[in-house]
Amino acid sequence: MIAVLKHGTTPDQTAHLVNWLKAMNLDVHISEGTEVTVLGLIGDTSRVDMDLLKSLEIVADVKRVSEPYKQANRKFHPKDTIIQCGDVRIGGGYFAMIAGPCSVESEEQIIEVAKAVKESGANILRGGAFKPRTSPYAFQGMKGEGIKLLLEAKKETGLPIVTEIMNISTLDLFSDVDIIQVGARNMQNFDLLKELGKTRKPILLKRGLANTIQELLMSAEYIMSEGNENIILCERGIRTFETATRNTLDLAAVSVLHELSHLPVVVDPSHATGKAKLVAPMACAAAAANCDGLMIEVHNNPSCALCDGAQSLTPHQFDELAHRVRLVREAVR
Amino acid sequence: MIAVLKHGTTPDQTAHLVNWLKAMNLDVHISEGTEVTVLGLIGDTSRVDMDLLKSLEIVADVKRVSEPYKQANRKFHPKDTIIQCGDVRIGGGYFAMIAGPCSVESEEQIIEVAKAVKESGANILRGGAFKPRTSPYAFQGMKGEGIKLLLEAKKETGLPIVTEIMNISTLDLFSDVDIIQVGARNMQNFDLLKELGKTRKPILLKRGLANTIQELLMSAEYIMSEGNENIILCERGIRTFETATRNTLDLAAVSVLHELSHLPVVVDPSHATGKAKLVAPMACAAAAANCDGLMIEVHNNPSCALCDGAQSLTPHQFDELAHRVRLVREAVR
Amino acid sequence: MIAVLKHGTTPDQTAHLVNWLKAMNLDVHISEGTEVTVLGLIGDTSRVDMDLLKSLEIVADVKRVSEPYKQANRKFHPKDTIIQCGDVRIGGGYFAMIAGPCSVESEEQIIEVAKAVKESGANILRGGAFKPRTSPYAFQGMKGEGIKLLLEAKKETGLPIVTEIMNISTLDLFSDVDIIQVGARNMQNFDLLKELGKTRKPILLKRGLANTIQELLMSAEYIMSEGNENIILCERGIRTFETATRNTLDLAAVSVLHELSHLPVVVDPSHATGKAKLVAPMACAAAAANCDGLMIEVHNNPSCALCDGAQSLTPHQFDELAHRVRLVREAVR
Amino acid sequence: MIAVLKHGTTPDQTAHLVNWLKAMNLDVHISEGTEVTVLGLIGDTSRVDMDLLKSLEIVADVKRVSEPYKQANRKFHPKDTIIQCGDVRIGGGYFAMIAGPCSVESEEQIIEVAKAVKESGANILRGGAFKPRTSPYAFQGMKGEGIKLLLEAKKETGLPIVTEIMNISTLDLFSDVDIIQVGARNMQNFDLLKELGKTRKPILLKRGLANTIQELLMSAEYIMSEGNENIILCERGIRTFETATRNTLDLAAVSVLHELSHLPVVVDPSHATGKAKLVAPMACAAAAANCDGLMIEVHNNPSCALCDGAQSLTPHQFDELAHRVRLVREAVR
């Protein structure tokens, strides 16, 4: 960390600040220039309150030289992480095609969709059992029963499954789930992240609607700091002023995340856009941006879906999408 | 709910849609105009997926005529709700001046601050015991021990206390806490909201960084739908492109919330701005905008605070702020 | 336009409103339902102040049924518009590969870059002569001299040229320019748009940093309402809270614009991201999203560029990008 | 400006960079630390492309130590600027109460409103003659005729007038106007700013919908760099994801601007909120935040206003607002 002192700071003021910093177990290296004095802080600066330091009268500016995340950082782990999930691999050139309904609704529905998406090339099945809904009066998911049906569909098709957890107290229900999803609204539910860090299950961590790329990596760091390194990052759109789409899909985040981190990055164009018509072009765009996987909502009867039907594809539309995505991936390799 | 059908919709298409809607237990009233046909949907429309309805080929637009929140809605509860908390009342003309440190750090610190802010006119003590921090390596609060120290300070000063919960599993520790705070990052942690709805404690619900006013009311509705009507809403800044302040304080939200809801609204200028210098002018502005309370960070030694020192006032600065706020409140009454 | 009246509106109040609307030369069709009364307004509703109507005591809501843009609207012009610009066509399957330096700096520079990008497959040359810069102290472009050098490069290579206008009073200098660019900051400089509407030159209209897709189409409408239908829309990133990239490229806007309008849509990944490394993946993503062209900054010596060097590619990098974009376009066709 | 070089940069690489910087007429002061090397750049750094510097392989980070605006900067001009406009002063404790209709519509209307607002304590009259409208089909203002009517109202009441310019070519029409307004959409119309810098008229410069506080000051700098120092800054709301109000009024900007600059700051709650009911509370809040003036839309018959009637107050409502604002100003002084 670098602190730049203002022109005119007295030696006494500088000494006072240096002592305060040393009391935090930091080494301080002083470089006096003609215009400014620069303090280099060496040691564990992760506990230093940058804003406080910046607010001091004599401090012109403060900069972190190193990123605040360590284990998620590509600098300390240059090779791509590859997540193993049953026979499926994600990252480092391996591609996850995750598909399935927003909500599990019945055994018939989930098995029919699972078979269809597998046929079209999906290698992981998604399906919501616990559903975070803005309204307390909206359908909240089949909960534990939904997970059982997903496991039925897994048995039937062999596809590993991913489903969302909302609450630590339900963790036991996820023992046979292959990938646990943390939804956008829980990206900074730090207690949940820490508990998931104590498992060794792959975690699919969705970016929050108003969270920066750095905050996403800090949330991954929460999980990793407890020992679980199996993390899949997911870009699913951010909240902006534009209302023509539900959210704004930030595809540049894929490249930025690949540069900063070794973790795989998948993209969810269904939630990002909220409109079935936009899912296929955004899926192709994400593949062209070199993402490590896609997460697509597919329903056997979108107009009867209990939630998010507006953004669900039919199995037939998904089949076409999957074909186009394969062509795009070949083109950019 | 109103659905506007496109010009050129055939009677068959209309009948098909009407039947589908009736299957959801809705009454449908059809008004045929020369330009468009309008369907009025009567009944419990809270389960209708507006986006899905809107995405149908023949539908031009869909509008909710009634708000999706009921118990938080002023329409059905015209009188201001007054929250009772020990001897202190909030709302309906009663003002909450909540002050204290970001984090509880020691018995000495919390008692010293509590006495000072009480002296200056604060009527509720705040202090963080469980701290949501972006980094897993930052100070995470004194947890249960912090709550004990807050209760010591309450005993010493008589001030009721408010502190944040991050996780349902710690609820027992809050049995003597007067007001439980739900932080911005947990505003849509729906399982937490539902559990808090089963208590009868006053809940201070902070608006999420990227959440709309309507979503804040829907989260209040989650708590209320379980039976707890003691909710205090809190505006604490939203995330925008501006970087000169930590967040952008949305003071118009105070008036909008007062119009839409009967619940009291307090404002937290400390977290909204992130800078001590801006706290006093924004506190005065919030008072002028007719808020029902303020939440101010005060620390006996801001430059040594373990978190958010940059935005903390000294007891002396708080004393001046409290005086100015009283004058402003008299001016606008 | 549809106005929904609140439950409990009296016949007198309704009559009063209907008379007021009729005084604006609108036909009003009344549909009385059991829950609400709906007024259908027929005629030229483009002058009706929706916000005012909505603010009236008895009005629950107001909806436009038809879009406020007419000439840019695909409804009234279903076939893709193809812009002709010398031998080059844009839209309806024809692809514009626009490349060149941010600023024209010298004859040598612009001709060297022009030859290089043509060699790699560019079919239009870009180069800034008038540069809108945030600081009055930054390089403001070579102005008229820059346009002359662009015309030299055009003579040398045969490539049509596009360059930005900032001010109506300089229009004469653009008489031999093939495409006139309106920059993001001028998207709502309505007087400039109207003047450009009086020419018959192709206009490349960039989306403003904080402008919605609908506002972009309304600005196109300004130009078209004066008779010039040769408009190319350009997505170049919007302003959000994310700071890892200069702006957030909104690729879903490409599909949304194609659905709403017949005008061609090009994408500028250079300005959107502000970082050379991100230009190629975002260009491929844009091509996969089916855009009608790309606008790429290329400089023969990016580290010496007088402006925006950070986002410029070398001719060699552009050559690779152009190759990959061709492969992606083949994949999605 | 400070450039921080990465750990591991070789002496050769450092020397190469230093030479490149010196070629831009900068002095470079090198401070070698154990962890990083810091370059202090001294001289006119306003032309250095920070993004480019930051993008170089060996550069970890770049920081401006000094703000990029000079003449608008309080550092170089510690005393508040007071704008003189007829007998009215703005800034340094003097308060501008600017009121009038969104658009001038007729002689009768503007004179009636002018008399009424003067009676209630307004000291400047506003009224739009040239109206920037999103739609080409909306009322565009009375133009030159409107300015004549404003001058009539000035003659009648003695109030100085402020009205918006959209286009340099109409500057002659503003010769008797007291304050020329630059609207939010033109905040970065740099050619317009430069021309206004050549006049000596007070300029009311509105913040753009998506512009940062620093960009607002850079636009003020454009005007000042041409010699005109009579600038009034205006906060009028920024564009965010919230849709309950038209824009989000950023009142912290008032304090931030006062700290960074010596220029007076007025607030426009009418355009910021778009709703008449919110204007009074936000006006009081702005006064409590210590702004130097307010700009309020008042219409003698809001429901017939040709534009923005939804946000206009009646003269009676304005009278109450002006009274409350006076009380708040006394309270915070």
Side-chain angles (χ1 to χ4, degrees), chain C residues 20 44 46-47 49 51-53 55-57 68-71 130-140 143 166-170 185-186 188-192 194-195 209-212 214-215 218-219 221-222 225 239 246 274 277 302-310, chain D residues 20 44 46-47 49 51-53 55-57 68-71 130-140 143 166-170 185-186 188-192 194-195 209-212 214-215 218-219 221-222 225 239 246 274 277 302-310:
Chain C
W20 181 65
D44 178 9
S46 57
R47 284 160 192 257
D49 179 348
D51 290 329
L52 175 59
L53 199 52
S55 74
L56 300 177
E57 271 314 304
Y69 43 93
K70 307 291 172 202
Q71 300 192 57
F130 294 92
K131 299 299 305 172
R133 303 298 301 275
T134 305
S135 165
Y137 310 121
F139 174 60
Q140 310 267 322
K143 304 182 181 177
M166 286 176 62
N167 185 339
I168 303 167
S169 68
T170 63
R185 292 183 182 85
N186 275 317
Q188 293 193 318
N189 184 337
F190 300 122
D191 282 8
L192 178 62
K194 280 191 244 179
E195 286 302 313
L209 279 174
N211 288 111
T212 61
Q214 178 166 308
E215 286 170 344
M218 291 307 290
S219 286
E221 191 80 7
Y222 256 98
S225 70
R239 188 165 266 186
R246 186 188 292 167
K277 275 186 191 171
S303 70
C304 293
L306 289 178
C307 80
D308 283 339
Chain D
W20 181 64
D44 178 9
S46 58
R47 286 162 191 256
D49 179 347
D51 290 329
L52 175 58
L53 200 53
S55 74
L56 300 178
E57 273 312 305
Y69 44 93
K70 307 291 171 201
Q71 301 192 57
F130 293 92
K131 300 298 306 171
R133 304 298 302 273
T134 305
S135 164
Y137 310 122
F139 174 58
Q140 311 266 321
K143 304 183 182 176
M166 285 176 63
N167 186 339
I168 302 167
S169 69
T170 62
R185 292 184 181 87
N186 275 319
Q188 293 194 317
N189 184 338
F190 299 121
D191 282 8
L192 178 61
K194 280 191 245 180
E195 286 302 313
L209 278 175
N211 287 112
T212 62
Q214 178 167 308
E215 286 169 345
M218 291 307 291
S219 285
E221 190 80 8
Y222 255 99
S225 70
R239 189 163 265 187
R246 186 191 291 167
K277 275 186 192 173
S303 70
C304 293
L306 289 178
C307 79
D308 284 338

Side-chain angles (χ1 to χ4, degrees), chain A residues 311-324:
Chain A
Q311 72 204 26
S312 289
L313 304 187
T314 62
H316 177 69
Q317 290 168 324
F318 175 70
D319 189 66
E320 283 189 1
L321 173 151
H323 176 67
R324 284 169 62 191

Side-chain angles (χ1 to χ4, degrees), chain B residues 2 38 63-66 75, chain C residues 1-21 28-41 52-63:
Chain B
I2 300 285
V38 176
K63 283 305 294 179
R64 280 198 189 282
V65 177
S66 52
K75 271 190 198 157
Chain C
M1 192 178 278
I2 300 285
V4 181
L5 304 191
K6 285 183 188 160
H7 188 71
T9 302
T10 66
D12 263 21
Q13 289 174 309
T14 305
H16 186 76
L17 176 61
V18 167
N19 288 338
W20 181 65
L21 291 165
V28 182
H29 178 268
I30 308 177
S31 312
E32 288 194 47
T34 49
E35 220 192 16
V36 293
T37 296
V38 176
L39 306 185
L41 315 188
L52 175 59
L53 199 52
K54 221 180 279 182
S55 74
L56 300 177
E57 271 314 304
I58 60 171
V59 175
D61 216 334
V62 180
K63 282 306 294 178

Side-chain angles (χ1 to χ4, degrees), chain D residues 75-104:
Chain D
K75 272 190 198 157
F76 309 119
H77 187 314
K79 265 183 68 178
D80 287 348
T81 283
I82 297 171
I83 305 289
Q84 186 83 36
C85 162
D87 293 342
V88 179
R89 291 173 176 179
I90 309 170
Y94 296 98
F95 197 80
M97 181 58 100
I98 309 169
C102 181
S103 295
V104 180

Side-chain angles (χ1 to χ4, degrees), chain B residues 32-70:
Chain B
E32 287 194 50
T34 50
E35 223 193 12
V36 293
T37 295
V38 176
L39 306 184
L41 315 188
I42 299 154
D44 177 8
T45 60
S46 57
R47 285 162 191 256
V48 178
D49 179 346
M50 277 182 64
D51 289 329
L52 174 59
L53 199 52
K54 221 180 277 181
S55 74
L56 301 178
E57 271 315 301
I58 60 170
V59 175
D61 216 335
V62 180
K63 283 305 294 179
R64 280 198 189 282
V65 177
S66 52
E67 293 82 12
Y69 44 93
K70 307 290 171 204

Side-chain angles (χ1 to χ4, degrees), chain A residues 31-36, chain D residues 27-31 38-42:
Chain A
S31 312
E32 288 193 48
T34 50
E35 222 191 14
V36 293
Chain D
D27 272 354
V28 183
H29 179 267
I30 308 177
S31 312
V38 176
L39 306 185
L41 315 188
I42 300 154

